[in-house]
Amino acid sequence: MARIVVVGGGIGGLATALFLAPRGHDVTILDRDPADLPSGPDDAWARWPRRGVPQLRHIHLFNARGRNVLREEAPAVLDALHAAGAGRIQLGGPDDEELVRLTCRRTTYEMVLRRAVLEDSRVRFVGDTTVAGLVADGARVTGVRTADGVEWAADLVVDASGRRSQAGLWMAALGLPAPERDEDTEGSVAYTRWYQLRVEPESALVRADLGYAAGVVAPADGGMFCVTFGCLPGDPVMARLRDSAAFDAAVAATPALAVWTDPDRATCVTGVLSMADRNNRMVRLAPGLAGIVLLGDAAMCTNPGYGRGVGLALFHARALAGVLAGVGEDPAAVTPAFEDVTRTELEPWYHAAVAGDRVRRTIGRRLVAGERWESIGAAGDDPEVRFARGAPHATERDPVVRRAMHRSFQLLDPPASYWGNEDIRARVDAVWRELESDPPPPAGPDHETMGRLLAD
Ligand SMILES: Cc1cc2nc3c(=O)[nH]c(=O)nc-3n(C[C@H](O)[C@H](O)[C@H](O)COP(=O)(O)OP(=O)(O)OC[C@H]3O[C@@H](n4cnc5c(N)ncnc54)[C@H](O)[C@@H]3O)c2cc1C
């Protein structure tokens, strides 16, 4: 049995406790926020103070891989999510239980996981406790130190403190070799408003691609849904979406979104939430360290627009259980073995996100610069731009492409099975060659028109 101290009780920290405690490990979670439990989904949404998770009330969709990990590791938690109102989007056939996406508010999801952890007498969850540094013996981390100077000794420290992890600084403070960071510095900006349905809830996911931005309708629990625009950083037109009236104008001009927000159908219940970040980041621990692992966003985060973070954090937590079972509890063996898992299983998603974002930014910037929609991806254009233009149409028309896309986007198959697959590329190309001379129109106004609409 290993004595494990987890820094952070978000998704990755909670999953670590849920998967490791039943295997006999002694797990303590330290979180900077209070350890309270909301009384239900609406209470969590309305008042849960989670300053450590700034994305808590932003759009969250829960991918199939994460759902499958829960189904296998903690089926009672999956049942509790549905009992709390989580819906499902069946992406495969009616009998395909593997390819199912979960829909609910992030507050509901995290509340259900936290309740399961708090009810498990084998786990200690200590709130209002900010970790401020590590304790080490040479290159072996032996615990953490909190902001009020208390030391917590551990056989293994799991840094699950999220996208703002300070692990690199903590290591530097002890003279330990710094982790290597890869970062895609451009990022993106998301603008979101939440709505309450007046009609029977639906579980469809709508995506409206404008080329220079993408609008999404994401259903959630409690008859709520949100509309989110993912935009280029520095786009002065879409930056106006911070203003509620401009946001409403952009929705009204995008038919697939407007149908959802019709006042007969839904009432808007929030102002505009915005969040900008450098999205894609990968952190690799220096060789020779022991007694610490980076888990979830602390190890890697990708553009939220891909909806991968929660599923990867759950997968990562289960992989840690596997590593502890496989190499034993020797801290000198656990750290490199877990780094290997991160390199093999998570890192390909980082590279896929960087490559995907690069193409999307290229397309977006060309449209912002005034290039016509029809010329993007025309014959002779960059093959990646052509693939990105053709893929949404190919997924509608070719079931083989649709399935490969879903399985890859839902993290069931590696990125190479879709983006790197020659057969899929040929199929997308075939569909796009038929459409490119007269491409289907974008899902809403061009950038110049949007600029005029949002200025009014
Ligand atoms: C705008 C936005 C939208 C997103 N949408 C999606 C989506 O649709 N689908 C999806 O799968 N993912 C999405 N993500 C990503 C997802 O939120 C993360 O991948 C996920 O929360 C990672 O879990 P984590 O445990 O690593 O970090 P978090 O869940 O962020 O948890 C970190 C925890 O660490 C605690 N903490 C931090 N520092 C300290 C400290 N020093 N001491 C003690 N405690 C500390 C915090 O309080 C928090 O509880 C989105 C992210 C953003 C920014």
Side-chain angles (χ1 to χ4, degrees):
M1 175 176 96
R3 194 175 27 159
I4 294 173
V5 170
V6 183
V7 186
I11 303 294
L14 293 169
T16 301
L18 282 173
F19 304 160
L20 265 58
R23 290 172 165 88
H25 299 293
D26 174 30
V27 185
T28 300
I29 296 177
L30 307 177
D31 200 283
R32 46 164 282 176
D33 289 342
D36 63 345
L37 182 68
S39 61
D42 291 336
D43 183 40
W45 172 255
R47 61 143 214 104
W48 200 7
R50 290 289 281 117
R51 288 189 309 141
V53 184
Q55 73 271 31
L56 190 77
R57 290 178 176 81
H58 283 262
I59 179 173
H60 271 76
L61 283 154
F62 301 95
N63 64 49
R65 185 158 189 185
R67 177 182 175 274
N68 294 346
V69 171
L70 274 185
R71 192 161 55 115
E72 288 151 20
E73 288 290 322
V77 174
L78 184 58
D79 290 346
L81 278 165
H82 287 303
R88 30 187 291 148
I89 299 181
Q90 195 92 28
L91 297 166
D95 301 326
D96 189 345
E97 261 308 300
E98 222 195 340
L99 203 44
V100 177
R101 192 168 203 171
L102 272 189
T103 58
C104 64
R105 290 166 286 186
R106 156 82 189 240
T107 43
T108 302
Y109 193 93
E110 190 169 324
M111 180 202 73
V112 169
L113 263 63
R114 179 171 300 188
R115 185 191 293 141
V117 164
L118 293 181
E119 283 173 355
D120 188 334
S121 57
R122 296 166 296 191
V123 181
R124 267 180 305 279
F125 190 111
V126 185
D128 293 314
T129 301
T130 301
V131 171
L134 299 172
V135 181
D137 178 6
R140 182 185 157 188
V141 173
T142 56
V144 300
R145 193 174 34 75
T146 64
D148 44 12
V150 177
E151 289 188 7
W152 291 77
D155 300 318
L156 182 67
V157 171
V158 177
D159 176 16
S161 63
R163 50 205 291 126
R164 294 187 173 81
S165 161
Q166 304 288 303
L169 294 175
W170 297 340
M171 288 172 191
L174 293 176
L176 295 172
E180 182 187 310
R181 273 166 80 97
D182 255 13
E183 195 166 34
D184 180 12
T185 52
E186 294 208 53
S188 63
V189 194
Y191 302 95
T192 295
R193 289 193 92 173
W194 284 87
Y195 302 80
Q196 183 77 51
L197 279 166
R198 295 163 173 272
V199 296
E200 202 49 31
E202 283 178 41
S203 67
L205 175 69
V206 173
R207 193 169 187 282
D209 189 5
L210 304 172
Y212 54 89
V216 179
V217 174
D221 59 305
M224 289 181 75
F225 68 92
C226 69
V227 175
T228 296
F229 285 96
C231 306
L232 296 172
D235 177 350
V237 164
M238 298 308 271
R240 294 180 201 148
L241 295 186
R242 265 194 216 96
D243 173 67
S244 310
F247 189 98
D248 293 347
V251 172
T254 311
L257 308 180
V259 88
W260 275 76
T261 61
D262 184 302
D264 286 341
R265 192 183 160 101
T267 310
C268 186
V269 293
T270 65
V272 180
L273 313 176
S274 68
M275 190 151 173
D277 207 350
R278 297 175 172 185
N279 292 315
N280 302 311
R281 188 177 311 118
M282 180 88 236
V283 183
R284 303 182 189 90
L285 287 181
L289 281 178
I292 184 165
V293 294
L294 309 181
L295 189 139
D297 277 9
M300 185 193 85
C301 51
T302 54
N303 186 336
Y306 299 115
R308 290 175 185 154
V310 169
L312 286 174
L314 292 174
F315 162 79
H316 218 190
R318 179 168 61 183
L320 181 59
V323 164
L324 286 164
V327 303
E329 293 164 17
D330 171 10
V334 171
T335 300
F338 193 63
E339 277 292 292
D340 283 350
V341 171
T342 307
R343 298 286 77 73
T344 333
E345 298 286 343
L346 263 65
E347 190 156 337
W349 296 106
Y350 167 76
H351 295 298
V354 171
D357 281 4
R358 191 176 302 131
V359 178
R360 281 159 33 150
R361 284 197 295 261
T362 302
I363 294 174
R365 294 211 168 110
R366 283 167 57 178
L367 290 166
V368 169
E371 199 171 325
R372 287 172 45 246
W373 174 254
E374 304 81 57
S375 70
I376 305 285
D381 205 338
D382 175 345
E384 295 308 318
V385 169
R386 283 177 63 77
F387 182 77
R389 282 292 272 119
H393 305 295
T395 55
E396 278 169 19
R397 291 166 170 79
D398 183 337
V400 174
V401 177
R402 183 163 55 245
R403 187 164 175 77
M405 184 275 292
H406 280 321
R407 285 195 59 88
S408 188
F409 272 80
Q410 297 304 305
L411 309 177
L412 302 183
D413 293 335
S417 67
Y418 178 64
W419 287 276
N421 180 323
E422 288 309 319
D423 177 47
I424 297 297
R425 286 197 163 257
R427 286 171 177 272
V428 169
D429 193 51
V431 170
W432 184 237
R433 265 188 282 115
E434 278 178 27
L435 296 174
E436 65 183 303
S437 56
D438 185 19
D446 64 26
H447 192 259
E448 195 186 339
T449 311
M450 187 67 100
R452 279 198 300 276
L453 287 171
L454 302 194
D456 293 344

